[in-house]
Amino acid sequence: MILFSSKHEVAFLAAFLSLISVQIGAAIAKTIFPILGPESVALMRLGLSAVLLWIMFKPWKGLNRNVYWKDLVCYGVILSLMNLLIYKAFSYLPVGIAISIEVLGPLAVAIFMSRHKLDLIWGGLALIGLVLFPSDNIANNLSYIGMFYALGAAVCWGLYIIYGANVAKGGGNSVAIGMAIAALCASPFGIWNISGIFESSWILLLCFLVSLLSSTIPFLLDIFAMKTLSPKFFGILLSTSPIVSALAGWIILGEKLINHQLIGITIIMVSCMGCFFCSYKKSTTHLT
């Protein structure tokens, strides 16, 4: 049995397990694409997550007055688009590259909110990493269509952070309602092939597992970790998403990246880490 010396270590472990859970869920989701298609898998993830969150938080008992329906609807639409676009990107790109592009959304939000010229260096460094992905014609695993989808998901992730801050004020009830709205928005895109989930109990089990790993478990772990950890740690952990997703894609899907793609992922990871760390340092300096 492993004993932890402080609450910070347990919280850090929870946040790190949340990150691993999300990336493993993404890799497993991709294995179902040949059967259901990315849109239907995204719908199942959102739908099952909504059901689990409604059971846990019972949002019908009341909604926080600080949360407006306009924010909830925007949150749900953005969450739906983010899932649909990143899953479409997975169908064209290795998981590691798609996630590396998607994290540019939170990075852009951090840079714009910081408004420090120095942070533009981190943004420029991230663009260098992005350019490296298609820079070699040997890369047969890359698609410009997939990059377009991943960039769309990045925009949605950035908007998700902005609107999610308002929805988070309402706690689990608001998130559960937002997840249900997201599932409804994804229905027109994923409902056409949803019958495939009933062809095998194994497929249903995989969809349920994806929902748990990608949404429910990370949500609960993050709630626990946020009580102790500072935004700096969350930013730094978020920065490791590209390498964790690349490892998950390699282990679960057998996706192998070539050298310049690994360098691009590393550059994006370092730029995100540097931006979040410096932004947090500046904010604490202003407060003291």
Side-chain angles (χ1 to χ4, degrees):
M1 182 176 178
I2 299 175
L3 298 176
F4 296 93
S5 59
S6 71
K7 291 182 179 179
H8 287 275
E9 292 177 352
V10 179
F12 184 85
L13 178 62
F16 188 65
L17 288 176
S18 171
L19 171 65
I20 294 176
S21 179
V22 169
Q23 303 310 331
I24 291 177
I28 294 176
K30 189 171 180 176
T31 65
I32 320 174
F33 285 3
I35 302 170
L36 298 180
E39 298 89 351
S40 295
V41 175
L43 173 58
M44 289 308 304
R45 169 186 171 176
L46 293 169
L48 290 173
S49 297
V51 170
L52 291 171
L53 289 175
W54 275 64
I55 292 173
M56 290 170 56
F57 296 105
K58 302 177 177 62
W60 59 85
K61 291 185 175 181
L63 182 65
N64 192 308
R65 293 181 180 180
N66 294 324
V67 180
Y68 298 100
W69 277 102
K70 179 187 70 174
D71 292 328
L72 280 173
V73 171
C74 290
Y75 173 84
V77 171
I78 291 168
L79 182 61
S80 178
L81 287 173
M82 184 172 69
N83 279 271
L84 288 168
L85 289 170
I86 195 59
Y87 275 20
K88 286 291 290 183
F90 287 166
S91 63
Y92 289 94
L93 299 172
V95 171
I97 291 181
I99 295 296
S100 298
I101 297 173
E102 190 186 25
V103 297
L104 296 178
L107 175 63
V109 171
I111 291 174
F112 290 139
M113 292 182 68
S114 172
R115 296 180 180 178
H116 289 279
K117 293 182 179 180
L118 182 62
D119 290 330
L120 293 176
I121 297 176
W122 300 117
L125 189 62
L127 290 178
I128 293 174
L130 179 64
V131 171
L132 282 176
F133 290 146
S135 63
D136 192 338
N137 292 329
I138 301 176
N140 297 321
N141 60 356
L142 194 103
S143 164
Y144 288 105
I145 297 176
M147 292 184 69
F148 175 79
Y149 281 125
L151 286 171
V155 172
C156 290
W157 197 352
L159 294 172
Y160 171 83
I161 292 173
I162 296 172
Y163 283 95
N166 296 328
V167 174
K169 297 175 183 177
N173 287 2
S174 298
V175 174
I177 294 174
M179 189 70 71
I181 293 173
L184 289 174
C185 292
S187 296
F189 303 95
I191 198 69
W192 58 275
N193 200 29
I194 205 68
S195 60
I197 193 175
F198 302 109
E199 293 180 0
S200 167
S201 58
W202 178 247
I203 299 175
L204 180 61
L205 178 62
L206 283 178
C207 289
F208 187 73
L209 182 61
V210 168
S211 176
L212 284 175
L213 291 173
S214 301
S215 299
T216 309
I217 291 177
F219 177 75
L220 295 175
L221 288 173
D222 285 345
I223 287 179
F224 173 78
M226 283 178 182
K227 296 178 181 179
T228 304
L229 294 182
S230 66
K232 178 183 72 172
F233 284 105
F234 274 97
I236 292 175
L237 280 174
L238 175 65
S239 304
T240 64
S241 296
I243 195 66
V244 175
S245 61
L247 286 171
W250 175 55
I251 294 171
I252 297 174
L253 301 169
E255 294 178 341
K256 296 181 181 180
L257 305 178
I258 55 183
N259 290 336
H260 73 272
Q261 292 174 338
L262 292 172
I263 294 173
I265 288 176
T266 303
I267 290 175
I268 290 176
M269 185 176 68
V270 170
S271 63
C272 290
M273 194 175 297
C275 180
F276 290 128
F277 181 82
C278 292
S279 296
Y280 176 81
K281 188 175 180 180
K282 290 170 186 173
S283 64
T284 53
T285 300
H286 290 319
L287 291 174
T288 55

